[in-house]
């Protein structure tokens, strides 16, 4: 996960801001409206879903292998190769993509709404950096926790 975190964050934050700017420039949004942030977050979540799906497939496969006592360090490419050989390209890499998108898209829409609302509120009481960091943490807990049941179903699909 650490190797791809920067890439996934770059995708999410750049897509969200691009969509939000595009919507605000082409439509009338009331000041303080969270519609553009929500929609931008949803598009950003969907945009990163294919890469997240591949990463989750590897992670879930390795977790199952570890439980069976078959875990090998540094076996990411081996896991991908094995999944593709056993299931083909489509199912080996993208099994669970629909559920990944169902989890990622609305969760990032909710994430950016919570983040923006918290940041505005906390900026009145905390230094800017503290407000931003706290807002991100609260948004992550609030948004991703809501969609955890979808993640459980997706993980089971990817490991069967």
């Amino acid at each position: 996960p650490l190797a791809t975190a920067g890439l996934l964050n770059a995708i999410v934050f750049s897509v969200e801001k691009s969509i939000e700017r595009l919507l605000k420039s082409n439509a009338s949004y009331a000041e303080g409206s969270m519609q553009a942030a929500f929609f931008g977050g949803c598009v950003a979540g969907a945009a990163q879903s294919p890469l997240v799906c591949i990463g989750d497939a590897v992670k879930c496969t390795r977790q199952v292998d570890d439980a069976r006592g078959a875990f090998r360090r540094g076996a990411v490419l081996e896991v991908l190769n094995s999944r593709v050989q056993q299931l083909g390209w489509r199912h080996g890499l993208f099994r669970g993509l629909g559920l990944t998108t169902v989890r990622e898209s609305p969760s990032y829409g909710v994430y950016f709404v919570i983040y923006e609302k918290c940041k505005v509120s906390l900026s009145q009481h905390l230094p800017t950096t503290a407000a931003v960091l706290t807002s991100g943490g609260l948004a992550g807990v609030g948004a991703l926790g809501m969609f955890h049941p979808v993640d459980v179903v997706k993980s089971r699909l990817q490991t069967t």
Side-chain angles (χ1 to χ4, degrees), residues 21-29:
R21 273 195 299 266
L22 178 69
L23 289 173
K24 285 183 175 180
S25 71
N26 292 325
S28 60
Y29 284 92

Side-chain angles (χ1 to χ4, degrees), residues 22-82:
L22 178 69
L23 289 173
K24 285 183 175 180
S25 71
N26 292 325
S28 60
Y29 284 92
E31 186 63 34
S33 168
M34 294 289 115
Q35 294 171 332
F38 177 76
F39 190 70
C42 288
V43 173
Q48 74 161 355
S49 290
L51 287 175
V52 170
C53 184
I54 294 169
D56 282 356
V58 170
K59 178 189 72 168
C60 290
T61 300
R62 290 180 69 166
Q63 287 171 343
V64 169
D65 286 351
D66 187 37
R68 292 180 185 147
F71 181 77
R72 293 183 309 273
R73 288 207 177 276
V76 172
L77 293 178
E78 289 177 38
V79 170
L80 285 173
N81 188 38
S82 174

Side-chain angles (χ1 to χ4, degrees), residues 37-46 49 98-114 139 142-144 146-147 150:
F38 177 76
F39 190 70
C42 288
V43 173
S49 290
L99 286 169
T100 301
T101 305
V102 165
R103 177 191 70 193
E104 295 293 310
S105 185
S107 71
Y108 274 100
V110 171
Y111 174 91
F112 282 104
V113 169
I114 294 172
L144 300 176
M146 293 169 57
F147 296 93
V150 176

Side-chain angles (χ1 to χ4, degrees), residues 95-152:
R95 185 177 209 164
L97 178 59
L99 286 169
T100 301
T101 305
V102 165
R103 177 191 70 193
E104 295 293 310
S105 185
S107 71
Y108 274 100
V110 171
Y111 174 91
F112 282 104
V113 169
I114 294 172
Y115 172 78
E116 292 296 336
K117 290 284 190 184
C118 286
K119 187 175 74 171
V120 167
S121 178
L122 292 174
S123 292
Q124 298 170 9
H125 308 288
L126 298 172
T128 303
T129 302
V132 167
L133 292 174
T134 304
S135 298
L138 292 171
V141 169
L144 300 176
M146 293 169 57
F147 296 93
H148 186 69
V150 176
D151 188 52
V152 171

